[in-house]
Amino acid sequence: MDRRDAANPPYRLPPPLFDARCKACWFTAGIIVLVVASFVSLDLQWAQFFSADALRSMGRFLGEFFPPDTQPEFLRKVAWAAWETLAMSALGTLLAAVAGLALALPASRSHAGARALWRTPTRLLLNALRSVPELVWAALLLIAAGLGPMAGTLALAVHTAGVLGRLFAEAIENAPAGPADALRAQGVGPLRVMAYATLPQVLPQLLSYTLYRWENNIRAAAVLGVVGAGGLGQLLAFHMGLFHMGKTATILAGMLVLVAIVDAASYGARRLLAR
């Protein structure tokens, strides 16, 4: 009787941990070598970091944060700066989602037979947008937009458009092809195929990506103020520069509360989309 027809499959030993023909094994080995080389090449002074003097200095520095400044006038300043940070992140993410979707369409191949002439140059543009950090974009845009939230909002929008555009393009290319192929077989044009077949399938995924990037942009918006782009970061840079540690502690607490609220709201929205 053929062993494939047996009621119970034959006993097999587990595969070896490393096989010369296993590409994943070689990839994992390369990552391990890279990590080890990173530790060896960097001058990481762990002994000095965990020394008694370093811990004592850090404890003294943290002690200067207490008590936080809770004067009503300063709390109103922090609340307004937190709202400014939230508005920067929300508007920047919205602009990025619109621009990312507009760039994702030419950056993706709608079906196997599509020519996709603009796919490569658009993907290069998306790579360029997201390879420049938000802080660098903010520093460049400060020249044109001046100090304040305008530069921060545009910096978030430009960088995030590169990230979302690539994610959106991958989602569009990986969408099930059946509904779109059925419409093409009936002679429906590409725009209506995208609107009625592809986008409805990938829309929950696109919204999930957008909400996740909004979470990241809250943190980024809080940091962008360090270069003068408004929000909590600008308030933090000002008071840290003057060594107002009590006020700095209040601003940091405001950042933590804001990030926690946005994380919870985004998590709840993404769970609703996943149902």
Side-chain angles (χ1 to χ4, degrees):
M1 183 176 63
D2 191 350
R3 296 175 65 186
R4 290 175 295 181
D5 298 330
N8 297 317
Y11 175 76
R12 294 181 181 179
L13 291 174
L17 292 178
F18 186 85
D19 186 353
R21 294 174 297 179
C22 175
K23 294 181 180 179
C25 298
W26 284 108
F27 179 77
T28 304
I31 294 295
I32 294 173
V33 170
L34 180 62
V35 171
V36 172
S38 301
F39 273 98
V40 172
S41 60
L42 294 177
D43 185 20
L44 301 177
Q45 301 176 0
W46 295 108
Q48 181 179 350
F49 181 76
F50 289 107
S51 65
D53 289 340
L55 294 176
R56 190 163 42 250
S57 299
M58 183 58 69
R60 190 184 315 116
F61 177 73
L62 292 176
E64 294 177 359
F65 284 95
F66 298 95
D69 192 330
T70 56
Q71 296 180 8
E73 182 179 354
F74 184 69
L75 290 178
R76 282 194 292 271
K77 278 187 178 181
V78 173
W80 174 252
W83 168 253
E84 196 172 65
T85 299
L86 180 64
M88 285 168 55
S89 66
L91 183 56
T93 305
L94 177 61
L95 294 175
V98 174
L101 182 58
L103 291 172
L105 297 178
S108 59
R109 195 185 304 275
S110 58
H111 58 281
R115 299 180 64 186
L117 297 177
W118 293 98
R119 185 173 185 270
T120 299
T122 308
R123 291 207 168 208
L124 289 175
L125 174 61
L126 293 174
N127 290 341
L129 292 178
R130 71 174 182 273
S131 63
V132 180
E134 297 97 330
L135 274 173
V136 178
W137 279 120
L140 294 173
L141 291 168
L142 281 172
I143 301 172
L147 294 174
M150 179 71 174
T153 302
L154 293 177
L156 290 174
V158 172
H159 176 81
T160 308
V163 177
L164 290 180
R166 180 58 185 269
L167 293 174
F168 290 177
E170 296 293 338
I172 290 172
E173 286 193 342
N174 294 325
D181 289 342
L183 290 181
R184 289 191 197 94
Q186 299 297 322
V188 178
L191 291 179
R192 286 196 293 165
V193 169
M194 178 64 65
Y196 291 107
T198 305
L199 281 182
Q201 294 182 93
V202 300
L203 188 58
Q205 192 174 2
L206 302 190
L207 291 176
S208 180
Y209 285 146
T210 303
L211 289 171
Y212 179 69
R213 284 304 306 179
W214 183 37
E215 294 179 28
N216 294 336
N217 284 343
I218 280 287
R219 303 176 184 89
V223 175
L224 286 181
V226 173
V227 296
L232 285 171
Q234 188 168 346
L235 202 62
L236 177 66
F238 176 77
H239 288 289
M240 277 198 76
L242 296 176
F243 296 99
H244 296 162
M245 306 314 291
K247 296 181 184 298
T248 300
T250 304
I251 298 168
L252 291 175
M255 285 184 175
L256 292 174
V257 171
L258 180 61
V259 169
I261 291 173
V262 172
D263 281 355
S266 178
Y267 175 74
R270 283 187 281 116
R271 288 200 65 181
L272 287 175
L273 290 173
R275 288 182 179 177

